[in-house]
Amino acid sequence: MQLSISLLEITRAIDSWLNSAFHPHVAYGIELVLAGVAVILLVVAMAILMVYAERKLAGFMQMRLGPMRVGKWGSMQAVADVMKLLLKECLVPTNSDKLMFRVAPFVVTIVSFMTLVPIAFAKGIQLWDINIGVFYITAVSSLSVIGILMAGWSSNNKYSLLGAMRSGAQIVSYELSGGLALIVVVMMSGTLSISGIVQAQADGWWVIKGHIPVIIAFVTFIITSTAELNRAPFDLAEAESELTAGYHTEYSGMQFAMFFLSEYTNMFVLSMVAATVFLGGWMPFHLAGLDGLNHFMDYIPGIVWFFGKTFFILFLIVWFRWTFPRLRIDQLLKLEWKYLLPVSIINVLFAAFIADGMVSVNDGG
């Protein structure tokens, strides 16, 4: 907790200094710029780290070395890829809708960054402590499908169009079960606020104390998150064997890099949401009655807990990609509409009875 408190003190000190040195409106604008730069640097650094980590994990799971040539143990390969994309020319197809073609990558990237706003990285370290944080994330993240459809339609390429339509059907479908999985914890916590959900887990993470409904919701959320990310085994929107690269077939250079960055940004956001909602966020691991253990866990900084849980969820998503075979589009939609959605609806009803019982016990009824 000590590092979390120090981070909070640093942010308060910066705020005090800016307000003393500048007009409050100017200070507020500078704070917004600093927060934006910090988020961009965090996402870019984590994207480079995760690209390298995923390649190494894939190599280990497939009994090969992975990147080894650029830098020590291939550690600079991701940096070299970024430099290559920066230097490549961004080509626009002749018969495409040029304005829509150029705008689509920005739409997808901006939506990805907007979803980071209510995430609580540590105690008091949050860009916006909005009281409908969970609803905000689910609402804003669904807008990315607009950019994907724009990219597929404007490319004037049948493979891009088919990939975009697949992605639209896939994202809209799996958002239903993903949203119902989050509703289970919202009912248990009694709030949509991210900070409120974290505080509700001070005496135990929901995945431990939330009984069977939360466990089912956690598993469902991990599956639906993987599907919404268009990652294997659910990457039908860009299945190389069928649609070359799907909706970003015609993109090159930094335009392609923006789609690539948004995919990893969405990976981070969904992993952070899962870590926050189901695994306590920055809250340490506590067990009722074990004060010695709980006191020891408090010494580990909250931000370490948060990113440790986030990387655990990221590892699960990477593990899925390199373990399971790709589904057909009909199998993918059948999994959602015939299995996950009915199970999620029943699970919400089950959770409602348990949450009502918890309220009755707390009220002494």
Side-chain angles (χ1 to χ4, degrees):
M1 290 287 188
Q2 295 173 355
L3 180 58
S4 300
I5 294 173
S6 66
L7 288 172
L8 183 58
E9 290 175 350
I10 290 171
T11 57
R12 286 174 175 172
I14 294 173
D15 177 66
S16 299
W17 180 79
L18 287 173
N19 280 281
S20 62
F22 302 97
H23 187 276
H25 296 301
V26 177
Y28 182 67
I30 295 173
E31 289 175 357
L32 290 177
V33 172
L34 291 175
V37 171
V39 169
I40 291 172
L41 292 176
L42 173 66
V43 170
V44 171
M46 290 188 68
I48 293 174
L49 175 63
M50 271 306 301
V51 168
Y52 175 72
E54 181 166 10
R55 287 170 171 173
K56 282 296 185 181
L57 284 170
F60 174 77
M61 292 176 182
Q62 298 178 345
M63 298 181 67
R64 55 187 176 85
L65 294 176
M68 290 293 292
R69 295 181 180 274
V70 184
K72 186 69 171 178
W73 300 305
S75 57
M76 298 300 291
Q77 181 64 57
V79 177
D81 292 339
V82 173
M83 295 304 298
K84 178 190 71 173
L85 290 168
L86 283 169
L87 296 174
K88 276 185 172 291
E89 181 182 1
C90 294
L91 300 175
V92 180
T94 302
N95 295 323
S96 65
D97 186 325
K98 294 178 175 55
L99 176 61
M100 191 177 292
F101 185 86
R102 291 190 175 99
V103 169
F106 289 94
V107 173
V108 174
T109 305
I110 290 171
V111 168
S112 300
F113 278 89
M114 286 175 62
T115 54
L116 287 164
V117 170
I119 299 294
F121 299 95
K123 186 177 182 179
I125 309 301
Q126 191 175 7
L127 293 178
W128 188 18
D129 188 10
I130 185 173
N131 61 354
I132 53 169
V134 174
F135 177 75
Y136 172 89
I137 292 173
T138 55
V140 172
S141 61
S142 64
L143 297 176
S144 62
V145 71
I146 297 175
I148 291 173
L149 291 172
M150 287 172 62
W153 172 261
S154 64
S155 295
N156 193 34
N157 180 309
K158 62 181 180 181
Y159 297 111
S160 298
L161 179 59
L162 287 172
M165 296 305 294
R166 280 186 177 186
S167 180
Q170 181 173 325
I171 292 175
V172 171
S173 299
Y174 278 85
E175 276 179 349
L176 298 173
S177 294
L180 290 174
L182 293 176
I183 287 175
V184 170
V185 175
V186 168
M187 287 192 299
M188 296 284 188
S189 304
T191 179
L192 285 165
S193 168
I194 295 293
S195 58
I197 291 174
V198 174
Q199 290 295 337
Q201 300 176 79
D203 58 343
W205 303 343
W206 278 123
V207 77
I208 297 174
K209 69 174 184 177
H211 309 293
I212 296 176
V214 177
I215 296 175
I216 295 174
F218 177 67
V219 174
T220 302
F221 186 78
I222 297 299
I223 295 173
T224 56
S225 297
T226 308
E228 286 190 59
L229 291 169
N230 289 323
R231 286 174 59 88
F234 306 106
D235 59 337
L236 273 300
E238 50 191 89
E240 292 87 352
S241 59
E242 304 172 47
L243 304 177
T244 59
Y247 55 86
H248 51 64
T249 297
E250 299 292 347
Y251 285 90
S252 60
M254 281 307 296
Q255 290 178 329
F256 168 79
M258 292 175 75
F259 282 109
F260 193 69
L261 178 63
S262 66
E263 178 183 322
Y264 276 89
T265 305
N266 290 331
M267 273 182 65
F268 302 142
V269 171
L270 291 173
S271 298
M272 289 173 180
V273 171
T276 300
V277 172
F278 298 100
L279 303 179
W282 53 263
M283 193 67 68
F285 178 71
H286 287 166
L287 288 175
L290 298 178
D291 295 334
L293 174 66
N294 298 341
H295 185 66
F296 172 76
M297 292 298 179
D298 288 339
Y299 280 101
I300 303 175
I303 198 166
V304 175
W305 280 108
F306 179 77
F307 280 103
K309 297 169 187 176
T310 299
F311 280 111
F312 169 71
I313 302 296
L314 286 169
F315 171 75
L316 291 181
I317 294 174
V318 173
W319 192 2
F320 289 167
R321 175 173 184 174
W322 301 104
T323 302
F324 298 108
R326 177 183 290 139
L327 301 178
R328 295 196 313 266
I329 185 65
D330 61 309
Q331 294 172 329
L332 182 143
L333 295 176
K334 181 186 292 185
L335 173 64
E336 162 62 14
W337 291 102
K338 292 189 67 174
Y339 300 104
L340 288 181
L341 186 58
V343 168
S344 297
I345 293 173
I346 295 171
N347 192 46
V348 167
L349 296 175
F350 188 21
F353 285 112
I354 293 180
D356 182 62
M358 292 169 62
V359 172
S360 299
V361 170
N362 293 334
D363 292 342

